[in-house]
Amino acid sequence: MKTFWKNGDAFVWLTGGALAMALLMVTGLVLLILVNGLGFFWPRTMYAFTLKDGRTVVGQITMRETVPQPDAAEGTPERHRIQIRQGNRDLYGMDFLWVDEDAIVSRAAPVELAVIERREWGNFHGRVEALREGAGGRRVEGEEAWLTLQAALPAAHALNAQILDVERNQIGAINAAQERIRLQVKKLARQGVTTGAAVERLESELTELQADYGLKRKLLATLREGSGTVIELSAAGDRRAELALGDVVRAYRPNAMGAGAKARFYASKLWEFVADDPRESNTEGGVFPAIFGTVMMVLIMSVIVTPLGVVAAFYLREYAKQGPMVSAVRIAVNNLAGVPSIVFGVFGVGFFIYVVGGAIDRTFFAEALPTPTFGTGGILWASLTLALLTVPVVIVATEEGLAAIPQGAREASLALGATKFETTWRVVLPAVMPSILTGLILAMARAAGEVAPLMITGVVKLAPTLPLDGQWPFVHLERKFMHLGFHIYDVGFQSPNVDAARPMVFMTAILLLLIVLFLNLAAILIRGKLRKKYAVTAL
Amino acid sequence: MPPDTRPVVPPREVRADALHHPPMVEISHLSLHYGTKQALDDVSLNIPPNHVTAFIGPSGCGKSTLLRCLNRMNDLVDGVRIAGTIRVHGQDIHDVALNVTELRKRVGMVFQKSNPFPKTIYDNVAYGPRILGTVPRAGLDEIVEKSLRGAAIWDEVKDRLQDSALGLSGGQQQRLCIARAIAVEPDVLLMDEPCSALDPIATAKIEDLMLDLKQRFTIVIVTHNMQQAARVSDFTAFMYVGRLVEHGRTQELFTTPREKQTEDYITGRFG
């Protein structure tokens, strides 16, 4: 035992143990997220429960827990209750139901129980009774109705895509053009021109667009009418319902699916999650706009923070005369990294949005006032705020890299008649590149996970348009955007349907982790290449 | 009487009038302070063209400082004060009209630790000419080859010019640094203990090279190694605590030193 202490084995165990502890916590966290999130899209068995009071409940089991019995005598057997997702929010008023297992008389899993994902009101759980085609079409019942429904779905989806295209792109373009003309008219009016050729020309253009808009509305109305096919449904408790074919996202029978079909279904849900827009106040559908917003914001932030931080670090290390003043600045920069992020958010609102954005609005978008263009939260201001938040990280990393470059490298260049700038540009900058990327990696990891300052500088719960789209000028830095971190907060804590949203929280967390991982891996790869190219170890 | 440990100086031709010709570098009454510490004290010295001049002396005697004055590398150190004049080609190097980068193009330098850039061999040699910007792209190949030949390393690297310079051995790296320095065709080549980190074979190669190079350049070398000074230099300056103790033909300085301090140093009684 004495030698154990003497050899320093204790210290090895202590350090190893600390590392193991840290790893355990991290893997525990990741595992928790994975377990809770990844199972969400797997189709679960649909049960039809018969309860003691004679009711029937149809749904999927989402949770099982012990009923607490604080007053029970010792030895009382444990009782359990299950949470059933019964769906049919429109019929029953709530999606989820807790049932004591004692109250269940029997449970069965009939094959014909179907889950129908709807565009509104969440899932329908029940049976498909019949399918009625519109405008004098036929009516089919039973199994044939199910098969007809499956066959008709792709066409219905195509129709929906078309409606979306008309709504978003075609009418969106008309709206944008109208807005531009309206602003031009307003601009002329501000200059005192209310009549004349220019105004008339604009007004005639406006009329043309209005006519166009009317046509699109008509087109939309016909499209919305669709095939007129209606599905007749029945749910537990002898409830009847009808559903237009166009409102169906998916219809499936989990009890009839094999493992392969379930896997295909899982993949399709996963794809929807990463590639589609959210539905039902973010509790269903996908998170694509949030992914897009997160990545775009991080990239804009990188583009801003890297030059700023690198140039500042170069001044501090290469040009400034080292002394108490520079040391003070250095300490201040380091401390800046410890300032709570919400403080940066407040600064972003106060300075970027109100001062800078307001000035931009008054100068370039005066005709749109009082509606703010840049004078309100947007992806540019959020990125700038985060750039400010992360600039100390880049400065510190770059400075450390600069300090590690041997003086010999600089002297060799200077001795050849290079100026200080040539030396910095041709020798020092390439050598410090890996350190810059290290700083950038840290900055990106911090920025991607930050939520607090974004909430007040431009992130919203639901953004109807992406900051990058087909409308001129294509990049809309003034637009509000969605963000995965905020999405987690919103879905988890601001959702009207908490039970349905919970798995979405975990899935979104997985995505956020993956994106951070992906961005970091990309930067690490580039850094590895640069390190190889500009190795300075031999100096 | 201790045994004579003075290094053997091989006989070599030194133009009798070398010291009387217009010198390449004239140092007069040079004093230098780092803050409050005096590093050079009233040093006056002429360096003749196309010969090798060696600065010897114990550690901290100021020989490297003196060398670094010649291309104003000491400017990079904070708190340096310099008094006295240095003329290269008759021109005062502290003249405000003279750009320091111009001076450094005329006075090249090879450092104690080989310091090739983390670039390819080719880019290392081409660095100086590219900075100068006077050479057309096509002429660059020629200059690189000529410089590498001049530094006696061409045959070893001609097949891998696009490889990283950091893959070379220590001796090769040092010769590459010499090639890099001579690529800009300086008048004077300063060498700050160029062989102190090299093995004897690499050292011998560089010493041979110096004898070649003095046909084209004026070489000033700082060395700890008296045998090396004796082997390669035509003139030797012995320095001690910031002062120039003795300066003369290498053969004379090593065989018949005028000063007691010099004799003590070269016979190894201190240093």
Side-chain angles (χ1 to χ4, degrees):
Chain A
M1 196 61 206
K2 207 173 171 190
T3 49
F4 173 79
W5 288 107
K6 222 173 174 177
N7 287 344
D9 282 358
F11 194 65
V12 176
W13 280 101
L14 180 72
T15 49
L19 178 68
M21 197 70 185
L23 286 178
L24 208 66
M25 286 196 286
V26 173
T27 35
L29 175 72
V30 172
L31 270 181
L32 176 86
I33 294 175
L34 287 179
V35 167
N36 277 296
L38 287 180
F40 176 48
F41 293 141
W42 192 259
R44 297 179 192 214
T45 313
M46 289 279 290
Y47 290 105
F49 300 96
T50 315
L51 305 187
K52 270 183 182 158
D53 57 6
R55 278 193 299 151
T56 327
V57 175
V58 170
Q60 296 156 317
I61 300 171
T62 46
M63 225 188 273
R64 181 169 186 265
E65 64 178 32
T66 318
V67 181
Q69 307 174 81
D71 304 326
E74 206 150 308
T76 316
E78 277 196 342
R79 294 171 55 215
H80 292 96
R81 62 183 171 202
I82 51 175
Q83 190 192 35
I84 302 170
R85 182 170 194 187
Q86 58 174 354
N88 305 0
R89 195 156 68 230
D90 47 339
L91 300 179
Y92 306 140
M94 51 187 176
D95 261 332
F96 290 84
L97 190 69
W98 282 101
V99 175
D100 279 2
E101 284 189 339
D102 297 347
I104 298 173
V105 178
S106 70
R107 62 172 82 178
V111 173
E112 76 276 9
L113 282 180
V115 179
I116 297 176
E117 279 180 29
R118 299 177 289 187
R119 286 194 202 285
E120 280 167 350
W121 296 106
N123 289 356
F124 180 90
H125 291 178
R127 294 178 170 80
V128 175
E129 298 292 338
L131 192 102
R132 207 171 58 228
E133 286 177 358
R138 62 202 171 113
R139 179 171 185 276
V140 289
E141 285 186 17
E143 197 56 26
E144 205 191 337
W146 176 255
L147 293 174
T148 321
L149 168 62
Q150 292 297 330
L153 269 181
H157 287 162
L159 197 64
N160 262 314
Q162 209 183 337
I163 291 173
L164 202 66
D165 177 62
V166 173
E167 271 180 345
R168 182 171 292 177
N169 298 337
Q170 303 181 13
I171 294 186
I174 293 174
N175 284 343
Q178 280 183 327
E179 179 67 12
R180 258 202 307 280
I181 294 171
R182 199 178 65 77
L183 289 179
Q184 279 172 2
V185 172
K186 232 178 135 183
K187 196 173 184 177
L188 286 176
R190 278 163 55 89
Q191 292 161 358
V193 186
T194 48
T195 52
V199 178
E200 273 164 30
R201 189 173 48 77
L202 287 173
E203 269 166 6
S204 76
E205 273 177 36
L206 207 57
T207 328
E208 250 172 65
L209 284 170
Q210 196 60 38
D212 240 11
Y213 178 69
L215 289 178
K216 296 286 180 210
R217 294 292 306 192
K218 259 186 209 142
L219 173 66
L220 208 54
T222 14
L223 286 176
R224 284 234 174 88
E225 227 160 73
S227 55
T229 306
V230 173
I231 310 160
E232 291 173 20
L233 304 160
S234 71
D238 270 336
R239 309 291 285 264
R240 297 268 159 183
E242 293 199 343
L243 183 63
L245 184 63
D247 286 336
V248 177
V249 181
R250 277 190 191 82
Y252 59 101
R253 286 171 164 172
N255 299 355
M257 288 161 95
K262 282 185 176 175
R264 271 197 303 281
F265 177 84
Y266 185 85
S268 125
K269 284 289 277 185
L270 209 59
W271 176 248
E272 181 196 19
F273 182 67
V274 294
D276 267 6
D277 288 345
R279 295 195 315 264
E280 293 284 287
S281 74
N282 296 354
T283 57
E284 283 173 41
V287 292
F288 176 73
I291 298 175
F292 191 91
T294 308
V295 172
M296 184 163 171
M297 183 206 68
V298 169
L299 291 183
I300 297 178
M301 182 230 50
S302 307
V303 167
I304 298 167
V305 77
T306 313
L308 189 68
V310 169
V311 169
F314 266 82
Y315 183 78
L316 277 181
R317 182 64 66 175
E318 298 284 311
Y319 289 102
K321 199 167 146 60
Q322 303 298 317
M325 186 67 195
V326 167
S327 297
V329 169
R330 204 166 277 145
I331 291 169
V333 165
N334 282 328
N335 280 336
L336 213 57
V339 172
S341 55
I342 189 70
V343 176
F344 283 96
V346 171
F347 177 80
V349 173
F351 180 70
F352 290 135
I353 296 183
Y354 289 161
V355 177
V356 183
I360 292 175
D361 274 0
R362 280 190 296 281
T363 320
F364 299 105
F365 302 97
E367 64 277 8
L369 287 174
T371 312
T373 309
F374 275 97
T376 177
I379 192 166
L380 176 66
W381 303 137
S383 304
L384 267 173
T385 306
L386 283 188
L388 211 61
L389 177 81
T390 52
V391 81
V393 181
V394 177
I395 292 182
V396 169
T398 309
E399 263 213 275
E400 275 168 15
L402 286 174
I405 296 175
Q407 199 56 31
R410 299 184 181 88
E411 284 187 347
S413 171
L414 291 172
L416 285 167
T419 60
K420 177 112 187 167
F421 175 73
E422 284 163 337
T423 303
T424 303
W425 186 251
R426 287 167 180 249
V427 177
V428 179
L429 185 63
V432 83
M433 262 311 182
S435 304
I436 294 176
L437 276 163
T438 303
L440 185 61
I441 290 168
L442 294 172
M444 286 199 305
R446 170 115 200 244
E450 203 59 71
V451 177
L454 299 178
M455 288 167 73
I456 51 178
T457 54
V459 159
V460 286
K461 177 190 175 77
L462 187 67
T465 47
L466 295 177
L468 189 74
D469 65 11
Q471 312 287 354
W472 195 86
F474 309 118
V475 182
H476 306 275
L477 292 178
E478 80 284 3
R479 279 195 189 160
K480 297 194 189 314
F481 65 109
M482 291 172 72
H483 181 271
L484 283 172
F486 182 74
H487 201 80
I488 292 173
Y489 166 73
D490 176 64
V491 171
F493 302 98
Q494 307 283 297
S495 170
N497 194 353
V498 182
D499 284 314
R502 191 182 298 127
M504 293 286 276
V505 172
F506 290 108
M507 279 311 288
T508 314
I510 292 174
L511 262 184
L512 185 54
L513 286 182
L514 280 179
I515 285 178
V516 173
L517 196 70
F518 172 77
L519 288 173
N520 280 2
L521 274 183
I524 286 170
L525 274 181
I526 301 174
R527 181 176 63 180
K529 283 227 171 90
L530 286 173
R531 274 218 181 116
K532 227 183 222 164
K533 198 168 164 196
Y534 299 116
V536 276
T537 42
L539 282 180
Chain B
M1 180 84 193
D4 190 356
T5 53
R6 284 178 285 195
V8 182
V9 181
R12 72 171 64 96
E13 280 179 41
V14 174
R15 287 216 310 276
D17 53 352
L19 277 178
H20 306 293
H21 258 254
M24 177 60 85
V25 181
E26 288 172 81
I27 305 167
S28 56
H29 304 293
L30 186 74
S31 295
L32 182 141
H33 291 77
Y34 289 125
T36 52
K37 187 174 161 291
Q38 186 160 27
L40 293 176
D41 181 11
D42 195 33
V43 174
S44 295
L45 178 69
N46 285 353
I47 295 171
N50 292 93
H51 286 88
V52 177
T53 302
F55 295 167
I56 60 169
S59 294
C61 69
K63 54 193 191 299
S64 277
T65 301
L66 179 60
L67 189 79
R68 291 166 69 92
C69 280
L70 301 186
N71 66 347
R72 287 181 54 185
M73 282 308 259
N74 284 325
D75 289 11
L76 304 177
V77 183
D78 278 341
V80 132
R81 281 178 296 124
I82 297 172
T85 57
I86 302 173
R87 287 172 190 281
V88 175
H89 258 326
Q91 189 174 16
D92 186 350
I93 66 168
H94 292 109
D95 191 343
V96 283
L98 178 76
N99 195 331
V100 66
T101 61
E102 286 299 316
L103 169 72
R104 289 180 189 152
K105 281 164 196 164
R106 297 221 311 262
V107 183
M109 187 160 188
V110 176
F111 294 83
Q112 179 174 3
K113 251 174 105 183
S114 64
N115 51 2
F117 300 124
K119 299 170 185 280
T120 63
I121 294 171
Y122 185 97
D123 286 344
N124 260 280
V125 183
Y127 186 88
R130 277 179 180 151
I131 291 281
L132 282 171
T134 51
V135 189
R137 201 169 280 267
L140 218 49
D141 289 352
E142 202 181 316
I143 289 186
V144 170
E145 180 176 344
K146 189 176 155 209
S147 308
L148 287 170
R149 278 189 196 283
I153 190 180
W154 170 252
D155 290 331
E156 292 160 63
V157 301
K158 65 182 174 198
D159 297 325
R160 47 176 176 146
L161 291 177
Q162 296 305 323
D163 288 1
S164 170
L166 302 179
L168 297 174
S169 72
Q172 287 173 327
Q173 284 191 7
Q174 194 60 297
R175 275 179 287 149
L176 178 67
C177 290
I178 294 173
R180 184 175 66 186
I182 64 180
V184 292
E185 295 282 334
D187 298 325
V188 184
L189 197 55
L190 308 178
M191 297 181 140
D192 190 359
E193 300 186 38
C195 303
S196 64
L198 302 182
D199 63 74
I201 295 171
T203 301
K205 277 189 183 155
I206 290 191
E207 286 176 4
D208 287 347
L209 179 60
M210 283 162 67
L211 297 180
D212 274 351
L213 288 174
K214 73 173 178 182
Q215 314 296 331
R216 286 162 61 201
F217 308 102
T218 302
I219 295 178
V220 187
I221 178 175
V222 164
T223 179
H224 264 316
N225 180 329
M226 276 176 289
Q227 279 79 5
Q228 185 172 55
R231 281 194 300 267
V232 299
S233 69
D234 303 308
F235 296 93
T236 299
F238 170 63
M239 297 187 63
Y240 187 64
V241 281
R243 285 182 309 103
L244 178 67
V245 177
E246 190 171 345
H247 175 224
R249 293 212 166 90
T250 301
Q251 195 145 19
E252 289 166 13
L253 189 129
F254 276 97
T255 48
T256 53
R258 290 191 300 273
E259 302 287 333
K260 179 79 171 64
Q261 265 177 334
T262 314
E263 187 175 351
D264 286 352
Y265 182 69
I266 60 178
T267 52
R269 241 166 264 164
F270 79 97

